[in-house]
Amino acid sequence: MWKEFKSFAIKGNVLDLAVAVVIGAAFGKIVSSLVADIIMPLVGLLSGGINLEKLTFTYQDVVVKYGMFLQSVVDFFIISFSIFMVVKLANRFKHKETVKVEVVETPAPGPEIVLLTEIRDLLKVNKQGEV
């Protein structure tokens, strides 16, 4: 069982996944800072200084913090759009690499191949009764 786990853990896919998780966590912090420190203050400025997080509705002793929900929805859309743009950019670079790799010229056939092709064509003509 230890050998199986060791071979699984050392495979490239697991290491790639670990790197992706670390990079994703760092990217998440960057996007969260972008939302909290840059975009939401601008949204608040454009909306007349309204802070969505402070919007509440109170009924008797119950406080419904619908502003926090709205803030989470806005955060989700901004983060989703940011990730979409990063993936789109990555795919553009990946596509350029594959185009460069796929361009392969086939070498011209050697004189032996040309001669054999001519003989084959002549044999086909003779079988059809033409000279």
Side-chain angles (χ1 to χ4, degrees), residues 20-71:
V21 167
V22 171
I23 290 174
F27 182 72
K29 288 181 181 180
I30 291 170
V31 173
S32 296
S33 176
L34 173 71
V35 170
D37 301 329
I38 295 174
I39 294 175
M40 287 316 294
L42 292 174
V43 169
L45 182 67
L46 293 174
S47 65
I50 297 174
N51 186 355
L52 292 178
E53 291 181 353
K54 294 183 181 179
L55 297 176
T56 59
F57 173 73
T58 306
Y59 180 74
Q60 294 179 356
D61 292 338
V62 178
V63 177
V64 177
K65 299 179 180 180
Y66 69 93
M68 294 293 287
F69 174 74
L70 293 175
Q71 179 66 46

Side-chain angles (χ1 to χ4, degrees), residues 10 56 67 123 129:
I10 295 177
T56 59
L123 288 173

Side-chain angles (χ1 to χ4, degrees), residues 8 15-17 35 49 64 85-87 94-95 105 118 125:
F8 171 76
L15 295 175
D16 291 343
L17 179 62
V35 170
V64 177
M85 293 305 291
V86 168
V87 169
K94 187 176 181 180
H95 179 67
E105 293 183 27
E118 290 175 5
V125 170

